[in-house]
Amino acid sequence: MRERILAVVDELKRRKADGESEIVVSPASVAALRVAASARAGRKSDERPAAAPPVVTAREERPAAPPPIIPAREERPAASRPPPAYAPPPVVTARDEQPQPSYAARVTRPVERAAPPADAKLPPPPIFSLPEGDKLARWEWLRERVVNCPVCNANLNPGKQVVFGHGNIDSPIFFCGEAPGADEEKQGIPFVGKAGQLLVKIISAMGLTREDVYIGNIMNWRPQTGQATGNRPPSEEEMAFCLPYLRAQVDVVRPKVLVALGNTAVTGLLGPDPRRRLGAIRGKWFDFKGTPLMPTYHPSYVLQYGNNTTKRQIWEDMLAVMEKVGMEISDKQRGYFKV
Ligand code: URA
């Protein structure tokens, strides 16, 4: 038993080092571990009791003053890129999205990170075509469709809002997170809570404002936990349902670069790969349907576990993004967070 527990602890440490901030354990496994730990403690009182599994607590959501936000309502000057070359309008389909297997292995503290309802059953992901028209008209059409999506609305926490992407639809940089948290579902805008404040700091270190970039999420609703605080990762089914909406946003915005913030965004955008470790792939370029994609740490991970090395790593990823989109980088910027 001792070896098994130590093996579990080693695996959890390795995952944490790889950038995983949440581990989900089924309530049954937690109960079994507790029984094993107390039996062991009772049997051998001179031995250290088996360590409780290092279950990561839910991300803490605190009310936060929202940063100034300008909805991307008015038409902005066209980006320097050539106009999208696709006609007819792209058919956005989620039929080819792969389910994400890794969540079975992710575990949650039952009290703080309730699992999705056992009977959760979503209809198949939406299939739709973007309308003809200019960029803003297409974005607004999509936004209307998503905020009125009956499935998204049916899965909202009571009294909360669908969260659609936000920002500059002509931005060359598209940040993609996981799912709205409590602050976001209240305001209907992505990344306005603690993690959002850190994201805005990162964006401003790049010499940009939140209004200069586009920010979206894999999910358009906050996965229900049955509680006001605490989050849980979206299920495979939830992510598969929302992905066509994210893909359509990428089709409309046509950024030069996608920044995938954290494991869920990477898995949602690149598809599942149980061997993939964020710590090993961050800082390297990937491809999302023709758009270069940079995986990096989620701001929540940096808030919880970030040390100087993590901060420098995320910053190096942003330097690579800046270079990719042709931004000038000062020597001062190159030196930020050097360890
Ligand atoms: N975390 C996310 O991934 N997205 C948000 O919008 C907020 C927090």
Side-chain angles (χ1 to χ4, degrees), residues 3-288:
E3 277 97 57
R4 282 190 204 160
I5 289 173
L6 288 175
V8 170
V9 170
D10 282 351
E11 171 65 9
L12 290 169
K13 279 185 185 157
R14 189 177 60 72
R15 287 181 180 212
K16 185 175 165 188
D18 279 349
E20 282 192 42
S21 60
E22 294 142 3
I23 299 290
V24 183
V25 185
S26 68
S29 302
V30 171
L33 282 167
R34 285 213 175 103
V35 169
S38 41
R40 184 175 168 72
R43 229 183 306 128
K44 300 188 177 181
S45 53
D46 53 330
E47 274 186 31
R48 215 159 37 94
V55 180
V56 176
T57 53
R59 290 203 281 275
E60 208 181 320
E61 297 288 343
R62 294 197 194 95
I69 288 146
I70 303 169
R73 285 265 170 224
E74 74 275 18
E75 190 63 282
R76 295 190 167 87
S80 52
R81 326 180 55 200
Y86 53 87
V91 174
V92 180
T93 164
R95 294 283 183 225
D96 56 346
E97 291 299 342
Q98 298 290 313
Q100 217 196 5
S102 59
Y103 286 122
R106 297 176 79 179
V107 199
T108 206
R109 179 141 69 191
V111 176
E112 291 177 8
R113 295 177 60 83
D119 58 351
K121 186 85 199 104
L122 300 177
I127 299 176
F128 58 92
S129 300
L130 287 166
E132 301 277 2
D134 66 20
K135 203 175 191 182
L136 182 62
R138 297 168 91 216
W139 183 84
E140 290 196 323
W141 180 91
L142 183 59
R143 184 178 185 283
E144 280 305 299
R145 178 169 173 130
V146 174
V147 298
N148 292 309
C149 161
V151 176
C152 301
N153 280 280
N155 280 278
L156 289 178
N157 287 289
K160 299 302 188 295
Q161 301 180 53
V162 171
V163 179
F164 186 62
H166 191 264
N168 180 1
I169 59 172
D170 290 319
S171 173
I173 307 176
F174 186 134
F175 288 92
C176 178
E178 172 177 321
D183 294 311
E184 288 79 18
E185 66 172 0
K186 230 180 273 164
Q187 298 188 38
I189 298 169
F191 280 102
V192 291
K194 281 252 164 218
Q197 288 167 18
L198 179 55
L199 180 60
V200 169
K201 277 191 192 159
I202 294 166
I203 291 168
S204 84
M206 297 166 81
L208 300 170
T209 67
R210 179 187 172 105
E211 290 74 35
D212 292 325
V213 300
Y214 192 84
I215 305 177
N217 276 316
I218 297 285
M219 292 295 301
N220 299 112
W221 69 81
R222 176 177 170 233
Q224 290 194 19
T225 61
Q227 294 161 45
T229 58
N231 297 318
R232 68 164 170 85
S235 68
E236 297 166 15
E237 195 188 19
E238 288 169 327
M239 295 213 309
F241 184 87
C242 287
L243 266 169
Y245 292 142
L246 181 69
R247 292 214 320 228
Q249 287 173 82
V250 176
D251 280 337
V252 171
V253 175
R254 298 219 147 221
K256 284 185 179 163
V257 165
L258 272 162
V259 180
L261 300 166
N263 269 321
T264 300
V266 171
T267 304
L269 289 162
L270 296 183
D273 178 353
R275 288 164 309 160
R276 187 191 290 130
R277 297 282 171 260
L278 188 59
I281 61 156
R282 58 138 286 276
K284 300 186 176 130
W285 286 106
F286 290 78
D287 174 83
F288 176 75

